[in-house]
Amino acid sequence: MAVDYTVIVVYLVGMLAMGWWGMRRAKSKSEFLVAGRRLGPAMYSGTMAAIVLGGASTIGGVGLGYKYGLSGAWMVFTIGLGLLALSVFFSARIARLKVYTVSEMLDLRYGGRAGVISGVVMWAYTLMLAVTSTIAYATIFDVLFDMNRTLAIVLGGSIVVAYSTLGGMWSITLTDMVQFVVKTIGVLLLLLPIAVVKAGGFSGMRAKLPTSYFDPLGIGGETIFTYVLIYTFGMLIGQDIWQRVFTARDDRTAKWGGTASGTYCLVYAVAGAVIGTAAKVLYPKLASPDDAFATIVKDELPIGVRGLVLAAALAAVMSTSSGALIACATVANNDIWSRLRGMVRQGGEEHDEVKGNRVFILIMGLGVIGTAIALNNVVEALTVAYNLLVGGLLVPILGGLLWKRGTVQGALASVIVGGLAVTGLMAGYGILANEPVYYGLLASLAAYLAVSLATKPTDERVLAVWRDRLAGKSPELPSEPVPAHQ
């Protein structure tokens, strides 16, 4: 294992070195939080693919392939579909807004203070996303070093917190680009063909497994529909995703770079399911489907290659973890803390804001590590996060982008009613049930439509500012939102 260990250690040291380099670039709020909005197509598409394809997409995607066969690709496939929809229909407009958070977009569109409430919901989502990604370190380091779970979480989490705190989005962008390359080589170019060959090729796999393993819809129509609601729509509104859109150099980069990333996700989804199916042939009686990735890597790959593939898994986890962490800290600082203190300076580029955001990343990072150590049920935590995100924020965000008649009162009602409905339904039906997100979304939509139509239309001056920003005519946000009614 010495060669494998060397590969991993070199990789981890490289991540820290890039964090140090990124610190020298991040001299303003824009540089620190959105990489100066300067990423070109190649770097943008690579880093966007890196953040959406995390531990759940890699280890979990292979696990679903082990359990269901080719239809196990649907979870990651719906992530790719969401990224494609975001890139084709919304990313250019989002990039032109020149904001830092989803809540700032809501304030700009509705002309009122919807930011704190929506910020709390978004913060809970990004926190849980960072926590669940951090927990995944335990699986990888256990395979590598037979390491204690808590120590593995502390080690992996500390490295991510360190480079994210040092250089912000510049460090995360650089590390994500490396992680994208490592993932592509490790999973698509090495593990996929080796796993298929070891399992006897596709003909051998078909001979040894039930036909249901090769049914594209074998996982079930209801499950696929739920994946679309949670993951496809979640891609449209998550702060971690939007913050990457904000890094694009221009509209074309956001649209076509994101389209390339979404297409890559579709390929990655199929690859993970095929690897899992091959693992089912090789190890038909694993205790847990999520053990499939680590087992096939450990037992079937040659020395050196094994280290690179495990580095690829580590890269997948780190990219999502770091992206969720900076999103969590950005929301906590800009949408919650600053607003509660009455110190909102939207659009400011003051250099001392870098220090404040850096402190928040460190604080949130320590909180993420502590929560990851204490938390046991990862699936439930992630389900709660996505249910709150989609149930509470999907309608007011998409409504703001698509429906002129939506008002700030309607947006607030939608967030509150949707969030409470999802929470209550999870308590009644169970956290993993499908009904909470179904009925929560309907309640959120009903509240948005009813309250918006019952209240005065948004002030035309607010909409004029909004239209100018969507057209890319105004480079900065106004210092204070225009009142909704005056």
Side-chain angles (χ1 to χ4, degrees), residues 324-389:
L325 176 59
I326 193 170
C328 179
T330 302
V331 170
N333 188 17
N334 291 269
D335 293 337
I336 301 175
W337 177 246
S338 293
R339 293 167 188 266
L340 292 177
R341 293 180 63 195
M343 296 175 62
V344 182
R345 292 184 60 82
Q346 299 182 46
E349 294 295 328
E350 298 155 3
H351 289 194
D352 60 2
E353 292 192 46
V354 172
K355 180 179 178 181
N357 282 294
R358 187 171 278 140
V359 169
F360 264 85
I361 290 179
L362 180 59
I363 293 172
M364 291 297 110
L366 294 175
V368 164
I369 292 172
T371 307
I373 292 171
L375 199 63
N376 289 320
N377 198 318
V378 180
V379 176
E380 288 193 357
L382 194 60
T383 301
V384 169
Y386 269 102
N387 281 352
L388 284 172
L389 175 71

Short mmCIF file of all heavy atoms in Angstrom, two decimals, residues 324-389:
data_model
loop_
_atom_site.label_atom_id
_atom_site.label_comp_id
_atom_site.label_asym_id
_atom_site.label_seq_id
_atom_site.Cartn_x
_atom_site.Cartn_y
_atom_site.Cartn_z
N ALA A 324 -20.05 23.46 -0.51
CA ALA A 324 -21.13 23.65 0.45
C ALA A 324 -20.68 24.51 1.62
O ALA A 324 -21.44 25.33 2.15
CB ALA A 324 -21.63 22.30 0.96
N LEU A 325 -19.42 24.36 2.03
CA LEU A 325 -18.90 25.13 3.16
C LEU A 325 -18.85 26.63 2.85
O LEU A 325 -19.30 27.46 3.65
CB LEU A 325 -17.50 24.63 3.54
CG LEU A 325 -16.79 25.41 4.65
CD1 LEU A 325 -17.62 25.40 5.94
CD2 LEU A 325 -15.40 24.81 4.90
N ILE A 326 -18.31 27.01 1.70
CA ILE A 326 -18.24 28.45 1.39
C ILE A 326 -19.64 29.01 1.15
O ILE A 326 -19.93 30.17 1.50
CB ILE A 326 -17.32 28.72 0.17
CG1 ILE A 326 -17.01 30.23 0.08
CG2 ILE A 326 -17.92 28.22 -1.13
CD1 ILE A 326 -15.94 30.58 -0.93
N ALA A 327 -20.55 28.19 0.60
CA ALA A 327 -21.94 28.65 0.44
C ALA A 327 -22.59 28.87 1.80
O ALA A 327 -23.27 29.88 2.02
CB ALA A 327 -22.73 27.62 -0.36
N CYS A 328 -22.37 27.94 2.72
CA CYS A 328 -22.93 28.05 4.08
C CYS A 328 -22.41 29.30 4.77
O CYS A 328 -23.18 30.07 5.38
CB CYS A 328 -22.56 26.80 4.87
SG CYS A 328 -23.13 26.78 6.59
N ALA A 329 -21.10 29.55 4.69
CA ALA A 329 -20.51 30.72 5.33
C ALA A 329 -20.96 32.02 4.68
O ALA A 329 -21.20 33.02 5.36
CB ALA A 329 -18.98 30.61 5.28
N THR A 330 -21.10 32.02 3.36
CA THR A 330 -21.55 33.22 2.65
C THR A 330 -22.97 33.60 3.07
O THR A 330 -23.27 34.76 3.33
CB THR A 330 -21.50 33.00 1.12
OG1 THR A 330 -20.17 32.65 0.74
CG2 THR A 330 -21.92 34.24 0.38
N VAL A 331 -23.85 32.61 3.14
CA VAL A 331 -25.23 32.85 3.56
C VAL A 331 -25.27 33.32 5.01
O VAL A 331 -25.97 34.28 5.36
CB VAL A 331 -26.09 31.59 3.36
CG1 VAL A 331 -27.45 31.76 4.02
CG2 VAL A 331 -26.25 31.28 1.88
N ALA A 332 -24.51 32.63 5.89
CA ALA A 332 -24.52 32.99 7.31
C ALA A 332 -24.05 34.42 7.53
O ALA A 332 -24.62 35.16 8.33
CB ALA A 332 -23.63 32.02 8.08
N ASN A 333 -23.00 34.83 6.80
CA ASN A 333 -22.45 36.17 6.98
C ASN A 333 -23.28 37.24 6.28
O ASN A 333 -23.69 38.23 6.89
CB ASN A 333 -21.01 36.20 6.46
CG ASN A 333 -20.30 37.51 6.78
OD1 ASN A 333 -20.73 38.27 7.64
ND2 ASN A 333 -19.21 37.77 6.09
N ASN A 334 -23.56 37.04 4.99
CA ASN A 334 -24.18 38.09 4.18
C ASN A 334 -25.70 38.17 4.34
O ASN A 334 -26.27 39.26 4.29
CB ASN A 334 -23.84 37.88 2.71
CG ASN A 334 -22.38 38.15 2.41
OD1 ASN A 334 -21.99 39.25 2.08
ND2 ASN A 334 -21.54 37.13 2.56
N ASP A 335 -26.36 37.01 4.52
CA ASP A 335 -27.82 37.02 4.54
C ASP A 335 -28.41 37.01 5.94
O ASP A 335 -29.57 37.40 6.12
CB ASP A 335 -28.37 35.79 3.79
CG ASP A 335 -28.09 35.85 2.31
OD1 ASP A 335 -27.89 36.96 1.81
OD2 ASP A 335 -28.05 34.79 1.67
N ILE A 336 -27.65 36.54 6.92
CA ILE A 336 -28.21 36.43 8.28
C ILE A 336 -27.52 37.39 9.24
O ILE A 336 -28.13 38.33 9.75
CB ILE A 336 -28.11 34.97 8.78
CG1 ILE A 336 -28.86 34.02 7.84
CG2 ILE A 336 -28.69 34.87 10.20
CD1 ILE A 336 -28.73 32.56 8.17
N TRP A 337 -26.23 37.20 9.46
CA TRP A 337 -25.53 37.99 10.47
C TRP A 337 -25.51 39.48 10.14
O TRP A 337 -25.88 40.32 10.96
CB TRP A 337 -24.11 37.45 10.63
CG TRP A 337 -23.25 38.22 11.59
CD1 TRP A 337 -22.15 38.95 11.31
CD2 TRP A 337 -23.43 38.31 13.01
NE1 TRP A 337 -21.62 39.51 12.45
CE2 TRP A 337 -22.39 39.13 13.51
CE3 TRP A 337 -24.37 37.81 13.90
CZ2 TRP A 337 -22.27 39.45 14.86
CZ3 TRP A 337 -24.25 38.11 15.26
CH2 TRP A 337 -23.21 38.92 15.71
N SER A 338 -25.11 39.82 8.92
CA SER A 338 -25.02 41.24 8.54
C SER A 338 -26.38 41.91 8.58
O SER A 338 -26.51 43.07 9.01
CB SER A 338 -24.42 41.38 7.15
OG SER A 338 -23.07 40.98 7.14
N ARG A 339 -27.43 41.21 8.16
CA ARG A 339 -28.76 41.79 8.14
C ARG A 339 -29.30 41.97 9.55
O ARG A 339 -29.94 42.98 9.86
CB ARG A 339 -29.71 40.92 7.31
CG ARG A 339 -29.35 40.90 5.82
CD ARG A 339 -30.11 39.80 5.10
NE ARG A 339 -29.63 39.67 3.73
CZ ARG A 339 -30.19 40.26 2.68
NH1 ARG A 339 -31.23 41.05 2.85
NH2 ARG A 339 -29.70 40.09 1.48
N LEU A 340 -29.07 40.98 10.41
CA LEU A 340 -29.53 41.10 11.79
C LEU A 340 -28.82 42.24 12.52
O LEU A 340 -29.39 42.87 13.41
CB LEU A 340 -29.31 39.78 12.53
CG LEU A 340 -30.19 38.61 12.07
CD1 LEU A 340 -29.83 37.34 12.83
CD2 LEU A 340 -31.67 38.93 12.26
N ARG A 341 -27.60 42.51 12.14
CA ARG A 341 -26.86 43.62 12.75
C ARG A 341 -27.17 44.96 12.10
O ARG A 341 -26.67 46.00 12.51
CB ARG A 341 -25.35 43.36 12.64
CG ARG A 341 -24.86 42.18 13.47
CD ARG A 341 -23.37 42.00 13.30
NE ARG A 341 -22.65 43.17 13.79
CZ ARG A 341 -21.37 43.43 13.50
NH1 ARG A 341 -20.71 42.63 12.69
NH2 ARG A 341 -20.78 44.49 14.00
N GLY A 342 -27.98 44.92 11.03
CA GLY A 342 -28.33 46.17 10.35
C GLY A 342 -27.16 46.77 9.61
O GLY A 342 -27.05 47.99 9.47
N MET A 343 -26.27 45.92 9.10
CA MET A 343 -25.06 46.41 8.44
C MET A 343 -24.96 45.93 7.01
O MET A 343 -23.89 45.62 6.50
CB MET A 343 -23.82 45.96 9.22
CG MET A 343 -23.73 46.53 10.62
SD MET A 343 -22.32 45.86 11.52
CE MET A 343 -20.98 46.44 10.49
N VAL A 344 -26.11 45.82 6.34
CA VAL A 344 -26.10 45.33 4.97
C VAL A 344 -25.47 46.37 4.05
O VAL A 344 -25.85 47.53 4.05
CB VAL A 344 -27.53 45.02 4.50
CG1 VAL A 344 -27.51 44.46 3.09
CG2 VAL A 344 -28.19 44.05 5.44
N ARG A 345 -24.49 45.93 3.28
CA ARG A 345 -23.88 46.79 2.25
C ARG A 345 -23.83 45.98 0.97
O ARG A 345 -22.79 45.45 0.58
CB ARG A 345 -22.49 47.24 2.67
CG ARG A 345 -22.48 48.20 3.84
CD ARG A 345 -21.07 48.69 4.12
NE ARG A 345 -20.51 49.38 2.97
CZ ARG A 345 -20.74 50.65 2.68
NH1 ARG A 345 -21.53 51.37 3.43
NH2 ARG A 345 -20.17 51.21 1.62
N GLN A 346 -24.98 45.83 0.33
CA GLN A 346 -25.05 44.98 -0.84
C GLN A 346 -24.21 45.57 -1.96
O GLN A 346 -24.29 46.74 -2.28
CB GLN A 346 -26.50 44.84 -1.29
CG GLN A 346 -27.36 44.20 -0.21
CD GLN A 346 -28.78 44.02 -0.68
OE1 GLN A 346 -28.99 43.56 -1.78
NE2 GLN A 346 -29.73 44.38 0.14
N GLY A 347 -23.40 44.72 -2.55
CA GLY A 347 -22.58 45.12 -3.67
C GLY A 347 -21.26 45.74 -3.26
O GLY A 347 -20.45 46.08 -4.11
N GLY A 348 -20.98 45.88 -1.97
CA GLY A 348 -19.72 46.48 -1.55
C GLY A 348 -18.54 45.60 -1.88
O GLY A 348 -18.62 44.39 -1.85
N GLU A 349 -17.40 46.21 -2.17
CA GLU A 349 -16.20 45.47 -2.53
C GLU A 349 -15.07 45.82 -1.57
O GLU A 349 -13.92 45.85 -1.94
CB GLU A 349 -15.78 45.81 -3.97
CG GLU A 349 -16.76 45.33 -5.00
CD GLU A 349 -16.86 43.82 -5.07
OE1 GLU A 349 -15.85 43.14 -4.81
OE2 GLU A 349 -17.95 43.32 -5.35
N GLU A 350 -15.40 46.13 -0.32
CA GLU A 350 -14.38 46.58 0.61
C GLU A 350 -13.47 45.42 1.00
O GLU A 350 -13.92 44.32 1.27
CB GLU A 350 -15.06 47.16 1.86
CG GLU A 350 -15.91 48.37 1.51
CD GLU A 350 -17.02 48.58 2.52
OE1 GLU A 350 -17.09 47.82 3.48
OE2 GLU A 350 -17.81 49.51 2.32
N HIS A 351 -12.17 45.69 1.06
CA HIS A 351 -11.21 44.63 1.30
C HIS A 351 -11.37 44.01 2.68
O HIS A 351 -11.08 42.83 2.85
CB HIS A 351 -9.78 45.18 1.13
CG HIS A 351 -9.46 45.45 -0.31
ND1 HIS A 351 -8.19 45.67 -0.76
CD2 HIS A 351 -10.25 45.53 -1.42
CE1 HIS A 351 -8.20 45.89 -2.07
NE2 HIS A 351 -9.44 45.81 -2.48
N ASP A 352 -11.82 44.76 3.67
CA ASP A 352 -11.93 44.18 5.00
C ASP A 352 -13.05 43.15 5.09
O ASP A 352 -13.13 42.42 6.06
CB ASP A 352 -12.11 45.27 6.06
CG ASP A 352 -13.36 46.12 5.83
OD1 ASP A 352 -14.11 45.83 4.89
OD2 ASP A 352 -13.57 47.07 6.63
N GLU A 353 -13.93 43.10 4.07
CA GLU A 353 -14.96 42.07 4.07
C GLU A 353 -14.36 40.68 3.85
O GLU A 353 -14.99 39.69 4.19
CB GLU A 353 -16.00 42.38 3.00
CG GLU A 353 -16.82 43.62 3.30
CD GLU A 353 -18.03 43.73 2.39
OE1 GLU A 353 -18.72 42.72 2.21
OE2 GLU A 353 -18.26 44.82 1.86
N VAL A 354 -13.19 40.60 3.28
CA VAL A 354 -12.53 39.31 3.10
C VAL A 354 -12.26 38.67 4.46
O VAL A 354 -12.50 37.47 4.66
CB VAL A 354 -11.21 39.47 2.31
CG1 VAL A 354 -10.44 38.16 2.28
CG2 VAL A 354 -11.51 39.94 0.89
N LYS A 355 -11.77 39.45 5.39
CA LYS A 355 -11.47 38.93 6.72
C LYS A 355 -12.73 38.38 7.39
O LYS A 355 -12.71 37.29 7.97
CB LYS A 355 -10.86 40.03 7.59
CG LYS A 355 -10.50 39.56 9.00
CD LYS A 355 -9.87 40.70 9.80
CE LYS A 355 -9.56 40.23 11.23
NZ LYS A 355 -8.96 41.33 12.04
N GLY A 356 -13.84 39.13 7.29
CA GLY A 356 -15.08 38.67 7.90
C GLY A 356 -15.57 37.36 7.29
O GLY A 356 -15.98 36.44 8.01
N ASN A 357 -15.52 37.25 5.97
CA ASN A 357 -15.95 36.00 5.32
C ASN A 357 -15.02 34.86 5.65
O ASN A 357 -15.45 33.71 5.80
CB ASN A 357 -16.03 36.21 3.80
CG ASN A 357 -17.27 36.97 3.38
OD1 ASN A 357 -18.38 36.47 3.51
ND2 ASN A 357 -17.10 38.19 2.89
N ARG A 358 -13.73 35.15 5.77
CA ARG A 358 -12.77 34.12 6.14
C ARG A 358 -13.06 33.58 7.55
O ARG A 358 -13.01 32.36 7.79
CB ARG A 358 -11.36 34.70 6.06
CG ARG A 358 -10.25 33.69 6.24
CD ARG A 358 -8.90 34.31 5.92
NE ARG A 358 -8.64 34.33 4.50
CZ ARG A 358 -8.07 35.32 3.85
NH1 ARG A 358 -7.72 36.43 4.48
NH2 ARG A 358 -7.85 35.24 2.54
N VAL A 359 -13.38 34.47 8.47
CA VAL A 359 -13.73 34.05 9.84
C VAL A 359 -14.98 33.18 9.82
O VAL A 359 -15.05 32.16 10.52
CB VAL A 359 -13.94 35.29 10.74
CG1 VAL A 359 -14.57 34.89 12.07
CG2 VAL A 359 -12.62 36.01 10.98
N PHE A 360 -15.97 33.55 9.01
CA PHE A 360 -17.20 32.76 8.96
C PHE A 360 -16.96 31.38 8.37
O PHE A 360 -17.57 30.39 8.80
CB PHE A 360 -18.29 33.51 8.18
CG PHE A 360 -19.22 34.28 9.06
CD1 PHE A 360 -18.88 35.56 9.48
CD2 PHE A 360 -20.40 33.73 9.50
CE1 PHE A 360 -19.73 36.28 10.30
CE2 PHE A 360 -21.26 34.43 10.33
CZ PHE A 360 -20.92 35.72 10.73
N ILE A 361 -16.09 31.26 7.38
CA ILE A 361 -15.77 29.94 6.85
C ILE A 361 -15.13 29.07 7.92
O ILE A 361 -15.47 27.89 8.08
CB ILE A 361 -14.83 30.05 5.63
CG1 ILE A 361 -15.58 30.65 4.43
CG2 ILE A 361 -14.27 28.68 5.24
CD1 ILE A 361 -14.73 30.81 3.19
N LEU A 362 -14.23 29.66 8.69
CA LEU A 362 -13.58 28.90 9.77
C LEU A 362 -14.60 28.46 10.82
O LEU A 362 -14.61 27.29 11.24
CB LEU A 362 -12.49 29.77 10.42
CG LEU A 362 -11.71 29.11 11.57
CD1 LEU A 362 -11.03 27.83 11.11
CD2 LEU A 362 -10.71 30.11 12.14
N ILE A 363 -15.48 29.38 11.23
CA ILE A 363 -16.49 29.03 12.25
C ILE A 363 -17.44 27.97 11.73
O ILE A 363 -17.72 26.97 12.41
CB ILE A 363 -17.27 30.30 12.67
CG1 ILE A 363 -16.35 31.28 13.40
CG2 ILE A 363 -18.46 29.93 13.55
CD1 ILE A 363 -17.00 32.63 13.66
N MET A 364 -17.95 28.17 10.52
CA MET A 364 -18.86 27.18 9.94
C MET A 364 -18.17 25.84 9.73
O MET A 364 -18.75 24.78 9.95
CB MET A 364 -19.41 27.69 8.60
CG MET A 364 -20.36 28.87 8.68
SD MET A 364 -21.88 28.55 9.58
CE MET A 364 -21.58 29.54 11.06
N GLY A 365 -16.89 25.88 9.35
CA GLY A 365 -16.14 24.64 9.15
C GLY A 365 -16.00 23.85 10.43
O GLY A 365 -16.18 22.62 10.44
N LEU A 366 -15.70 24.53 11.51
CA LEU A 366 -15.59 23.84 12.80
C LEU A 366 -16.95 23.27 13.21
O LEU A 366 -17.04 22.15 13.75
CB LEU A 366 -15.07 24.80 13.87
CG LEU A 366 -13.63 25.30 13.68
CD1 LEU A 366 -13.28 26.34 14.73
CD2 LEU A 366 -12.64 24.13 13.73
N GLY A 367 -18.01 24.03 12.94
CA GLY A 367 -19.36 23.54 13.23
C GLY A 367 -19.72 22.32 12.40
O GLY A 367 -20.34 21.37 12.89
N VAL A 368 -19.32 22.32 11.13
CA VAL A 368 -19.59 21.19 10.24
C VAL A 368 -18.87 19.94 10.74
O VAL A 368 -19.45 18.85 10.80
CB VAL A 368 -19.16 21.53 8.80
CG1 VAL A 368 -19.06 20.27 7.95
CG2 VAL A 368 -20.15 22.50 8.17
N ILE A 369 -17.61 20.08 11.11
CA ILE A 369 -16.83 18.93 11.60
C ILE A 369 -17.47 18.36 12.88
O ILE A 369 -17.64 17.15 13.02
CB ILE A 369 -15.37 19.32 11.85
CG1 ILE A 369 -14.67 19.63 10.52
CG2 ILE A 369 -14.62 18.21 12.58
CD1 ILE A 369 -13.28 20.21 10.66
N GLY A 370 -17.83 19.25 13.81
CA GLY A 370 -18.46 18.80 15.05
C GLY A 370 -19.78 18.10 14.81
O GLY A 370 -20.06 17.05 15.41
N THR A 371 -20.61 18.67 13.91
CA THR A 371 -21.90 18.05 13.60
C THR A 371 -21.71 16.70 12.90
O THR A 371 -22.44 15.74 13.17
CB THR A 371 -22.74 18.98 12.71
OG1 THR A 371 -22.84 20.27 13.33
CG2 THR A 371 -24.13 18.43 12.49
N ALA A 372 -20.75 16.61 12.01
CA ALA A 372 -20.48 15.36 11.29
C ALA A 372 -20.07 14.25 12.26
O ALA A 372 -20.46 13.09 12.09
CB ALA A 372 -19.39 15.58 10.25
N ILE A 373 -19.30 14.60 13.27
CA ILE A 373 -18.88 13.60 14.26
C ILE A 373 -20.08 13.09 15.06
O ILE A 373 -20.20 11.90 15.35
CB ILE A 373 -17.82 14.20 15.21
CG1 ILE A 373 -16.51 14.45 14.44
CG2 ILE A 373 -17.55 13.27 16.40
CD1 ILE A 373 -15.48 15.23 15.22
N ALA A 374 -21.00 14.01 15.39
CA ALA A 374 -22.14 13.66 16.23
C ALA A 374 -23.26 12.96 15.48
O ALA A 374 -24.06 12.23 16.07
CB ALA A 374 -22.68 14.91 16.91
N LEU A 375 -23.33 13.18 14.16
CA LEU A 375 -24.48 12.71 13.38
C LEU A 375 -24.27 11.27 12.91
O LEU A 375 -23.17 10.89 12.52
CB LEU A 375 -24.67 13.62 12.16
CG LEU A 375 -26.01 13.60 11.46
CD1 LEU A 375 -27.11 14.08 12.40
CD2 LEU A 375 -25.96 14.49 10.22
N ASN A 376 -25.34 10.49 12.93
CA ASN A 376 -25.25 9.10 12.49
C ASN A 376 -25.96 8.86 11.16
O ASN A 376 -25.41 8.25 10.26
CB ASN A 376 -25.84 8.16 13.56
CG ASN A 376 -24.96 8.08 14.79
OD1 ASN A 376 -23.74 8.02 14.68
ND2 ASN A 376 -25.58 8.08 15.97
N ASN A 377 -27.20 9.35 11.04
CA ASN A 377 -28.00 9.04 9.85
C ASN A 377 -27.81 10.10 8.77
O ASN A 377 -28.46 11.16 8.79
CB ASN A 377 -29.47 8.89 10.21
CG ASN A 377 -30.24 8.16 9.12
OD1 ASN A 377 -30.04 8.40 7.94
ND2 ASN A 377 -31.10 7.25 9.53
N VAL A 378 -26.92 9.83 7.85
CA VAL A 378 -26.59 10.79 6.79
C VAL A 378 -27.76 10.99 5.83
O VAL A 378 -28.08 12.12 5.44
CB VAL A 378 -25.35 10.31 6.01
CG1 VAL A 378 -25.00 11.30 4.92
CG2 VAL A 378 -24.19 10.11 6.94
N VAL A 379 -28.41 9.91 5.45
CA VAL A 379 -29.49 9.98 4.48
C VAL A 379 -30.63 10.86 5.00
O VAL A 379 -31.17 11.70 4.27
CB VAL A 379 -30.01 8.57 4.14
CG1 VAL A 379 -31.21 8.64 3.22
CG2 VAL A 379 -28.90 7.73 3.51
N GLU A 380 -30.99 10.69 6.25
CA GLU A 380 -32.08 11.49 6.81
C GLU A 380 -31.71 12.97 6.86
O GLU A 380 -32.53 13.84 6.57
CB GLU A 380 -32.44 10.99 8.21
CG GLU A 380 -33.16 9.64 8.20
CD GLU A 380 -33.79 9.30 9.53
OE1 GLU A 380 -33.61 10.09 10.49
OE2 GLU A 380 -34.44 8.25 9.63
N ALA A 381 -30.47 13.27 7.24
CA ALA A 381 -30.03 14.67 7.31
C ALA A 381 -30.09 15.33 5.93
O ALA A 381 -30.56 16.46 5.79
CB ALA A 381 -28.62 14.75 7.87
N LEU A 382 -29.62 14.62 4.91
CA LEU A 382 -29.62 15.18 3.56
C LEU A 382 -31.04 15.33 3.02
O LEU A 382 -31.36 16.30 2.33
CB LEU A 382 -28.79 14.29 2.63
CG LEU A 382 -28.42 14.90 1.27
CD1 LEU A 382 -27.59 16.17 1.45
CD2 LEU A 382 -27.63 13.89 0.44
N THR A 383 -31.91 14.38 3.37
CA THR A 383 -33.31 14.45 2.94
C THR A 383 -34.01 15.66 3.55
O THR A 383 -34.75 16.37 2.87
CB THR A 383 -34.06 13.16 3.32
OG1 THR A 383 -33.41 12.04 2.70
CG2 THR A 383 -35.50 13.22 2.85
N VAL A 384 -33.78 15.90 4.84
CA VAL A 384 -34.34 17.07 5.50
C VAL A 384 -33.87 18.34 4.80
O VAL A 384 -34.66 19.26 4.52
CB VAL A 384 -33.94 17.12 6.99
CG1 VAL A 384 -34.31 18.47 7.60
CG2 VAL A 384 -34.63 16.00 7.76
N ALA A 385 -32.59 18.41 4.48
CA ALA A 385 -32.03 19.60 3.83
C ALA A 385 -32.68 19.86 2.48
O ALA A 385 -33.12 20.98 2.19
CB ALA A 385 -30.52 19.44 3.67
N TYR A 386 -32.76 18.83 1.64
CA TYR A 386 -33.33 19.02 0.31
C TYR A 386 -34.84 19.28 0.36
O TYR A 386 -35.38 20.06 -0.44
CB TYR A 386 -33.03 17.80 -0.58
CG TYR A 386 -31.75 17.94 -1.36
CD1 TYR A 386 -30.60 17.29 -0.96
CD2 TYR A 386 -31.70 18.74 -2.49
CE1 TYR A 386 -29.40 17.43 -1.67
CE2 TYR A 386 -30.53 18.89 -3.21
CZ TYR A 386 -29.38 18.22 -2.80
OH TYR A 386 -28.22 18.38 -3.51
N ASN A 387 -35.55 18.63 1.29
CA ASN A 387 -36.98 18.89 1.42
C ASN A 387 -37.26 20.34 1.80
O ASN A 387 -38.16 20.98 1.25
CB ASN A 387 -37.59 17.95 2.46
CG ASN A 387 -37.83 16.55 1.93
OD1 ASN A 387 -37.67 16.30 0.74
ND2 ASN A 387 -38.19 15.63 2.80
N LEU A 388 -36.47 20.88 2.74
CA LEU A 388 -36.64 22.28 3.14
C LEU A 388 -36.29 23.21 1.99
O LEU A 388 -36.97 24.21 1.75
CB LEU A 388 -35.76 22.58 4.36
CG LEU A 388 -36.26 22.06 5.71
CD1 LEU A 388 -35.20 22.28 6.78
CD2 LEU A 388 -37.56 22.74 6.12
N LEU A 389 -35.21 22.89 1.28
CA LEU A 389 -34.78 23.74 0.17
C LEU A 389 -35.85 23.80 -0.92
O LEU A 389 -36.28 24.88 -1.33
CB LEU A 389 -33.48 23.20 -0.42
CG LEU A 389 -32.96 23.92 -1.67
CD1 LEU A 389 -32.43 25.31 -1.30
CD2 LEU A 389 -31.87 23.12 -2.37
#
